[in-house]
């Protein structure tokens, strides 16, 4: 299967955007967009349609912007 999991721990209820980008900066998918409760949030998505290679995902709230790398292996 191509299921991929991303876990996010929020210290308080926040407006969150979690997006997946290709290596060249093209938006591939928006995984979360909206208010999320405090605590661990789990996002599962099917990456089987993606080409193998490096991707980036960004987590943006009102006061935080995180960028992490992700590899898709085929």
């Amino acid at each position: 299967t191509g299921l991929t999991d991303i876990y996010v721990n929020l210290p308080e209820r926040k407006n969150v955007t979690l997006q997946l980008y290709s290596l060249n900066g093209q938006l591939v998918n928006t995984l979360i967009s909206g208010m999320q409760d405090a605590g661990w949030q789990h996002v599962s998505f099917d990456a089987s349609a993606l080409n193998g290679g490096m991707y980036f995902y960004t987590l943006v709230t009102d006061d935080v912007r995180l960028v992490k790398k992700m590899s898709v292996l085929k």
Side-chain angles (χ1 to χ4, degrees):
T1 72
L3 289 180
T4 300
D5 297 309
I6 297 174
Y7 293 88
V8 176
N9 190 12
L10 300 173
E12 58 192 37
R13 184 172 166 84
K14 291 190 177 267
N15 190 24
V16 175
T17 303
L18 179 64
Q19 295 179 308
L20 180 65
Y21 291 90
S22 66
L23 199 55
N24 66 4
Q26 180 181 9
L27 178 62
V28 173
N29 199 342
T30 298
L31 305 171
I32 297 177
S33 179
M35 293 300 293
Q36 299 293 310
D37 290 331
W40 284 101
Q41 305 300 316
H42 170 240
V43 178
S44 182
F45 70 98
D46 186 356
S48 63
L50 299 177
N51 292 326
M54 294 297 297
Y55 291 83
F56 292 94
Y57 59 91
T58 62
L59 173 81
V60 179
T61 69
D62 294 334
D63 55 352
V64 173
R65 179 178 174 87
L66 294 173
V67 178
K68 299 285 185 173
K69 289 189 290 187
M70 180 180 82
S71 294
V72 174
L73 303 175
K74 293 285 181 166

